Amino acid sequence: MEDKEQEVLEDDDFEMEEISRELVLPGEVLTEDVNNFIPGRGAIFNKERNKITSLCIGLKQIKKKYINVIPLRGFYTPKAGDKVLAVIVDKNPVKYKCDINSKDFGQLKPKNTISQEKGRMGRNTRSYDDVSTEMYKIGDVLIVKILSADRLNKPELTTVGRYLGMKRDGIVISIDPPKIPRVIGRNGSMIKMLKNLTKCNIFVTQNGRIWLKGDNIAYERLLIGAIYKIASEAHTSGLTDRMKEYIENEKKKEEFK
Amino acid sequence: MPLIIKDEYPEKLFREDGKRLDGRKENELRPIKMEVGVIKNADGSAYLEWGNNKIFAAVYGPRDVHPHHLAKPDRGILRVFYRMTTYSVFERKKPAPGRREKEISMVIADCLRPVLFLELYPSTSFEVFIEVMDADGGTRCASTTVAALALADAGIPMRSLVSSVAIGKIDGKIIVDLSGIEDKAGEADLPCAITWFNEEISLLQFDGDMNLKEMNESLDLAKDALKLIHEKQNEALKCKYIEIQKEEEKNSQENDNGGVDLK
């Protein structure tokens, strides 16, 4: 497996400075100052529009004019452009059915599994007539990109693109999807630290699944433990430093020598 | 010859010292203990001990609707399954869902629906499974309370929590939170639930006889009791996260102190 650099996902949800460590609950009043604030993500006006209340259990965050609530629990909603880890659960001659940890199964059509070779006139030189779903088996783990997703239709997937395709080795673990930004960290700080210290390849996807592979089983185990620790302590501050300390302490143990 | 045990209720439901049979005052609740995240495989779950009631709630969703014809193309549906275990009551309860359980399931679903944004999840279902392990009066109120808690634990967007309590009348006095025996022997029973985002009544059932003045009085009593229950719900939801936060703070302080000591 060639060394793949994890694309740093720009997700500033968990920016340390701006986020307060204030835990809010559904229905809790975030502010009564409706002239200066607008409800952002996870917040809503009440009926009289004189209060802003929270929608879910999470951390309160004030960003310019917006009041957001960063959820601590929740489910994954597919978004076009997301790269996610999918497992093929069913297939027929027309399409694969993939579990992407969301409400609907994703659909992977065979024409989206081979790269399009453009001809001279911009036409496809390859015909899709003979393409069938023989490339992958049921149970294969793929990294796919979501082409389209909305509330009503099933998300459409593709395996054509950078980093995408089948994973033949490694371990897949899954955590709560809202905690994924914390595993990545601010500008990818957490994931860089994990990679450097444990010498493992990691691919973190937005649907809560994490693919990892290391040279040494002890390091893999350490990394899995660290990721679960991050997930359980996602709402605390100074997490990156604490995790660094934790991993360094663990590495002093005998199995790493 | 089957053994027939007659239901025998005490003549007086108040003790000589003016307290109720279990030693409570008129407006006192039974001890309540709540916990969230007790069922690992569920998306959200909660456990409640309310006096002798022991209730589990588990939430799954949003997910596909089975059978598929129940799905609504313009909104999601909320389904509640209230079930009592066979050993939850004195005489063995038949495990098949009966008329009472179906009614309570419907009542709880109607009670919780206003707090959810079902229109954002078309053709999906949210399912709440409520399992009563031990019953001792007021299970529909306790189930509503614990179901709201489990929904919040699942991270489903909600307008607010829902709290519920039963008010009753025994020996001519209005009391809060009826126990099993007070429920059966008392004169009136009034379960009610409130949605906190608009402070409106979401569930109100009535059984027995009361005059209008007593009704108003009991609704006032209910509001005070509901506030207490709401506080406990909030505490239970926060508890899980605050414990970890505190532990971390303690650990980091210890580490800091350790460094100083070494120097």
Side-chain angles (χ1 to χ4, degrees):
Chain A
M1 178 65 62
E2 68 273 42
D3 194 82
K4 283 179 180 175
E5 269 294 311
Q6 164 79 35
E7 202 178 346
V8 173
L9 294 157
E10 287 294 329
D11 202 330
D12 47 9
D13 276 350
F14 270 98
E15 275 184 39
M16 298 288 193
E17 285 81 12
E18 287 181 47
I19 201 161
S20 67
R21 294 288 131 189
E22 195 187 331
L23 204 61
V24 290
L25 300 170
E28 200 169 313
V29 177
L30 299 173
T31 181
E32 293 189 6
D33 184 7
V34 284
N35 297 324
N36 296 331
F37 291 108
I38 303 169
R41 178 184 171 202
I44 196 175
F45 275 128
N46 69 346
K47 215 174 176 184
E48 292 85 34
R49 293 179 76 87
N50 55 8
K51 282 174 192 166
I52 295 172
T53 56
S54 163
L55 286 179
C56 46
I57 177 162
L59 301 170
K60 183 178 164 184
Q61 180 199 38
I62 296 173
K63 225 177 191 183
K64 288 172 194 167
K65 261 191 115 175
Y66 291 94
I67 290 200
N68 300 332
V69 176
I70 312 302
L72 287 169
R73 291 296 300 268
F75 40 85
Y76 171 67
T77 317
K79 227 167 44 187
D82 276 1
K83 284 172 185 149
V84 298
L85 270 163
V87 182
I88 296 177
V89 291
D90 195 8
K91 72 172 184 179
N92 60 26
V94 183
K95 65 200 169 205
Y96 302 98
K97 204 165 140 189
C98 299
D99 174 17
I100 53 168
N101 198 17
S102 75
K103 188 208 96 190
D104 285 322
F105 287 117
Q107 285 188 347
L108 178 61
K109 289 179 179 162
K111 73 168 186 185
N112 288 327
T113 60
I114 51 166
S115 60
Q116 296 182 359
E117 290 157 19
K118 288 273 166 75
R120 204 179 292 159
M121 302 294 285
R123 277 203 210 135
N124 295 334
T125 51
R126 202 158 159 180
S127 96
Y128 291 127
D129 296 344
D130 55 344
V131 177
S132 68
T133 55
E134 279 163 14
M135 205 165 181
Y136 303 120
K137 294 195 297 291
I138 290 175
D140 281 354
V141 175
L142 313 171
I143 293 178
V144 294
K145 197 167 90 176
I146 295 173
L147 286 177
S148 69
D150 55 42
R151 282 180 203 162
L152 288 170
N153 302 313
K154 284 178 180 164
E156 199 150 314
L157 313 173
T158 179
T159 57
V160 180
R162 210 166 154 214
Y163 308 134
L164 306 183
M166 190 161 89
K167 286 288 180 197
R168 288 181 174 76
D169 49 5
I171 301 167
V172 175
I173 60 170
S174 72
I175 60 170
D176 251 5
K179 285 163 185 169
I180 284 293
R182 226 45 226 278
V183 177
I184 295 165
R186 200 165 160 222
N187 295 330
S189 60
M190 179 73 87
I191 199 159
K192 270 179 207 157
M193 188 271 290
L194 290 175
K195 266 182 190 168
N196 291 340
L197 289 180
T198 61
K199 296 164 195 160
C200 290
N201 282 330
I202 316 173
F203 198 91
V204 183
T205 60
Q206 292 294 319
N207 63 346
R209 291 184 180 146
I210 299 166
W211 175 91
L212 55 99
K213 187 179 179 288
D215 310 329
N216 189 341
I217 185 78
Y219 279 114
E220 284 179 346
R221 238 180 248 156
L222 172 62
L223 182 59
I224 292 170
I227 289 170
Y228 283 143
K229 200 168 151 65
I230 292 168
S232 74
E233 293 170 15
H235 58 290
T236 57
S237 52
L239 193 57
T240 311
D241 296 339
R242 202 136 30 77
M243 288 316 298
K244 196 171 181 181
E245 206 174 286
Y246 165 79
I247 292 174
E248 277 167 357
N249 283 342
E250 289 288 306
K251 274 167 85 173
K252 284 172 195 163
K253 289 181 181 169
E254 235 170 71
E255 49 197 306
F256 298 102
K257 282 172 186 172
Chain B
M1 188 66 185
L3 181 70
I4 296 170
I5 301 169
K6 274 190 183 174
D7 286 347
E8 283 182 8
Y9 305 123
E11 284 181 8
K12 281 190 174 178
L13 290 166
F14 279 103
R15 296 196 309 210
E16 281 181 1
D17 59 349
K19 286 185 174 170
R20 282 147 77 179
L21 289 178
D22 46 7
R24 284 186 286 155
K25 287 177 209 157
E26 284 164 32
N27 59 350
E28 201 176 331
L29 293 166
R30 285 176 282 179
I32 302 175
K33 191 188 126 192
M34 297 182 199
E35 209 178 319
V36 294
V38 287
I39 298 167
K40 196 185 148 201
N41 285 354
D43 294 331
S45 59
Y47 173 64
L48 170 78
E49 273 183 33
W50 186 331
N52 288 338
N53 291 319
K54 294 186 178 68
I55 303 173
F56 280 100
V59 170
Y60 298 85
R63 66 180 184 182
D64 271 356
V65 191
H66 289 292
H68 199 69
H69 66 83
L70 292 177
K72 298 270 185 283
D74 58 341
R75 60 180 187 275
I77 57 168
L78 172 71
R79 293 207 282 170
V80 175
F81 299 88
Y82 168 97
R83 297 286 182 269
M84 285 176 107
T85 48
T86 53
Y87 46 84
S88 63
V89 279
F90 182 69
E91 200 165 312
R92 180 181 182 273
K93 201 214 141 284
K94 282 182 183 168
R99 184 192 58 81
R100 180 178 169 273
E101 277 155 317
K102 279 179 190 161
E103 185 206 306
I104 294 180
S105 303
M106 185 210 75
V107 162
I108 295 173
D110 286 352
C111 173
L112 295 172
R113 206 166 283 128
V115 299
L116 298 176
F117 296 86
L118 290 175
E119 65 278 7
L120 295 182
Y121 306 97
S123 66
T124 59
S125 71
F126 293 95
E127 283 165 351
V128 184
F129 293 88
I130 299 164
E131 202 72 29
V132 179
M133 292 288 156
D134 207 348
D136 184 26
T139 50
R140 81 186 62 197
C141 295
S143 302
T144 313
T145 309
V146 74
L149 209 55
L151 280 169
D153 180 49
I156 295 165
M158 306 166 77
R159 291 190 175 91
S160 72
L161 289 173
V162 181
S163 313
S164 174
V165 76
I167 309 296
K169 186 179 158 190
I170 54 169
D171 295 355
K173 282 182 183 169
I174 305 293
I175 53 156
V176 173
D177 188 19
L178 296 111
S179 67
I181 200 153
E182 287 165 343
D183 196 9
K184 283 170 197 144
E187 290 154 39
D189 177 20
L190 178 84
C192 56
I194 192 167
T195 50
W196 290 105
F197 70 100
N198 50 6
E199 304 214 354
E200 277 177 7
I201 288 171
S202 187
L203 161 76
L204 192 72
Q205 292 184 299
F206 184 67
D207 175 29
D209 61 307
M210 243 185 215
N211 59 32
L212 251 174
K213 200 185 146 205
E214 284 169 333
M215 186 79 146
N216 284 334
E217 196 188 324
S218 43
L219 286 177
D220 288 344
L221 268 177
K223 201 160 186 191
D224 295 341
L226 287 167
K227 273 179 190 160
L228 280 176
I229 295 164
H230 189 219
E231 269 171 32
K232 294 217 164 150
Q233 280 178 307
N234 285 351
E235 239 171 64
L237 272 176
K238 277 188 179 176
C239 178
K240 191 171 142 191
Y241 298 101
I242 285 180
E243 264 178 19
I244 297 173
Q245 257 175 355
K246 275 184 184 167
E247 214 170 83
E248 286 317 313
E249 276 169 20
K250 213 200 252 174
N251 285 349
S252 59
Q253 276 174 5
E254 273 172 16
N255 287 347
D256 292 347
N257 293 342
V260 172
D261 285 347
L262 282 173
K263 280 172 192 172

